[in-house]
Amino acid sequence: MLKRVAATLLTGSLALGAHVASAAESITGAGATFPYPVYSQWADTYQDKTGVGLNYQAIGSGGGIKQIVAKTVTFGASDAPLKPEELEQHGLMQWPMVMGGVVPVVHIDGISQGQLKLDGKTLADIYQGKITRWNDAAIAKLNPDLELPDAAITPVYRAEGSGTNFLFTHYLAQVSDDFANSIGEGKSVAWPAGVGAKANAGVANQVASTGGAIGYVEFAYAQQNDLNYVTMQNQAGDYVEPSIESFKAAAANADWKNAPGFYLVLTNQPGEKSWPITGASFILMHEQVQDAKAAKQALTFFDWAYQNGNAAAEKLDYVPMPKNVAAMVEDKWRQIEGPDGKKVWTQQ
C-alpha cells in the first residue's frame, strides 16, 4: 500500500480505492490534498473489507468547498475551516477528521535533510520576495555552521485555492506583521514572487525538479517524495523538526469542545516541542442532504476511519483525532437529515 500511495503522490492521481466500484458502491467527495495520502490508505482497506469505494477528487480545499456548496458531491474536504456564519449560510456542518503538519521543503545543493534552520519572519520575507538568495545575511545568521550557496531562491506556492495555502499564510501572518499587511492570509493570495504549482503533489514535484527552490507541503508528500525539509523555530524559540511527535505536541492544545462549529486553527501553538504549522483537515456535509443513503454510506466510512484508521494515519505521520473528539463529532452527525426529515445517522 505504501508503494501505491507513493505512486499517487508522484502522479497526482485523483482516484482512491484499490478496485473499481460501481456508482452505487462509491462514496463521492472532493477537496483538500493535505489529507489525501491517509484517505487513500483508509479507502483501500475499507474497500477490501466492505466492497464500498471512495471516489475522492483531490482538487484543493477551495474546489472542495465549491463542490459541496453546489451539492455535486456527498462531502467536501478543507484544511481551511469555515467560520460558523459561513456554515450557517450554506446549511453545512464540519468536523475535523485528522491532523498533520505543513512543512517547508527545499532543494539546495550541499544542504542535507533538516540542516537548514528558518524562523517564521525569515520564511515570510522569502515569500514576500525580500530575501532572494540562499546566502542572504538573515538566513546565514540562523545557520552559522552551514556553507550557504550564492544561489537564487525560487519560492514555489500553491496556484489554486488551497487549505495548505491557508495554514501556511495564516502562520506567516501570525509571525510577521509585514506579511499580514502586504499579502495576508487565505486559501488564495497574490504572491509577489515565485512559481505556482497545483496541489501538494505539484508543489512537491516542482521543488524536486528546481534547484534553489523552496515550497510547502503536507509532511507525507515530503516523506514520500524524499524532499529536504526545513527545521523551524517555534513560538517557544526552540528549533524542531517535523514529525508526528511535534505535530502531536501542537495538537495537544486543541480545545475542540469549545470551538464553535469545530472552527479551530492550530498554527503557532505554544510548547517547546510544537511544530509551528500544524492544522486539522475537515469534512463538510449538508445538514439537510438530498441523498440519505449516500450520506449514511459516507458517515459509515468516516466512523470506520475514526475507529480503525489510527495506525495507518500515524504511519504516514498524521495525528488521529482523540476518541473523545470522535464521539463529539458523531453526536453532531445526528443533526443530519434526509429529504424526508428523518435522521441519517442513528448508530449509538
Side-chain angles (χ1 to χ4, degrees):
M1 279 190 192
L2 284 177
K3 289 183 179 178
R4 182 185 300 150
V5 173
T8 58
L9 297 189
L10 286 167
T11 62
S13 172
L14 301 181
L16 296 186
H19 313 294
V20 176
S22 69
E25 297 174 312
S26 182
I27 302 162
T28 62
T33 63
F34 178 101
Y36 177 84
V38 68
Y39 288 1
S40 179
Q41 289 283 290
W42 288 345
D44 282 346
T45 304
Y46 188 72
Q47 190 170 37
D48 287 341
K49 290 181 177 296
T50 67
V52 177
L54 176 61
N55 178 13
Y56 180 72
Q57 301 299 309
I59 57 175
S61 296
I65 292 169
K66 287 178 182 177
Q67 287 211 23
I68 190 61
V69 168
K71 301 181 179 180
T72 57
V73 290
T74 302
F75 73 91
S78 176
D79 311 319
L82 296 187
K83 294 180 179 178
E85 56 268 27
E86 294 175 295
L87 294 171
E88 185 176 359
Q89 177 187 352
H90 298 296
L92 296 169
M93 73 163 54
Q94 74 184 353
W95 63 86
M97 199 66 219
V98 71
M99 296 175 283
V102 175
V103 302
V105 290
V106 296
H107 183 167
I108 310 171
D109 290 341
I111 304 298
S112 301
Q113 184 76 275
Q115 275 193 311
L116 185 72
K117 295 180 179 178
L118 291 177
D119 59 17
K121 183 181 183 304
T122 304
L123 186 59
D125 285 348
I126 289 172
Y127 270 88
Q128 287 179 89
K130 291 182 174 183
I131 295 176
T132 61
R133 304 196 73 78
W134 283 113
N135 63 347
D136 186 276
I139 302 176
K141 184 178 179 180
L142 300 174
N143 297 274
D145 298 327
L146 288 185
E147 187 174 341
L148 297 165
D150 182 12
I153 300 174
T154 300
V156 181
Y157 55 83
R158 285 290 287 275
E160 83 283 14
S162 133
T164 305
N165 248 2
F166 169 77
L167 291 172
F168 188 66
T169 57
H170 185 82
Y171 166 68
L172 294 182
Q174 284 177 298
V175 297
S176 169
D177 289 340
D178 194 25
F179 186 94
N181 294 329
S182 63
I183 296 177
E185 63 181 75
K187 293 185 293 295
S188 295
V189 298
W191 296 105
V195 177
K198 189 174 181 181
N200 269 280
V203 172
N205 285 330
Q206 187 68 46
V207 172
S209 62
T210 306
I214 183 171
Y216 51 94
V217 295
E218 196 284 322
F219 189 45
Y221 291 83
Q223 294 283 75
Q224 294 293 333
N225 292 284
D226 197 27
L227 296 177
N228 186 349
Y229 57 74
V230 170
T231 297
M232 287 291 298
Q233 188 181 58
N234 61 20
Q235 189 193 117
D238 295 304
Y239 284 97
V240 293
E241 292 194 3
S243 67
I244 190 169
E245 289 77 21
S246 59
F247 304 155
K248 281 183 175 180
N253 293 291
D255 183 9
W256 295 107
K257 186 176 181 180
N258 294 305
F262 290 114
Y263 182 88
L264 194 61
V265 184
L266 297 172
T267 56
N268 204 34
Q269 290 295 307
E272 61 183 19
K273 296 181 180 179
S274 294
W275 179 253
I277 322 176
T278 300
S281 196
F282 297 82
I283 299 296
L284 295 159
M285 282 184 67
H286 286 276
E287 291 190 334
Q288 185 86 39
V289 299
Q290 294 176 313
D291 187 334
K293 181 181 178 181
K296 185 170 184 179
Q297 205 171 44
L299 294 175
T300 302
F301 167 71
F302 295 131
D303 171 63
W304 176 90
Y306 275 145
Q307 306 304 324
N308 302 280
N310 289 359
E314 291 191 349
K315 193 169 185 178
L316 288 167
D317 296 293
Y318 290 89
V319 180
M321 301 310 300
K323 287 186 177 180
N324 66 316
V325 178
M328 283 192 286
V329 167
E330 297 198 3
D331 188 56
K332 290 288 186 183
W333 290 352
R334 292 180 173 83
Q335 298 175 15
I336 299 175
E337 297 180 348
D340 57 1
K342 292 183 179 179
K343 303 295 182 184
V344 170
W345 186 255
T346 56
Q347 289 183 231
Q348 299 298 316

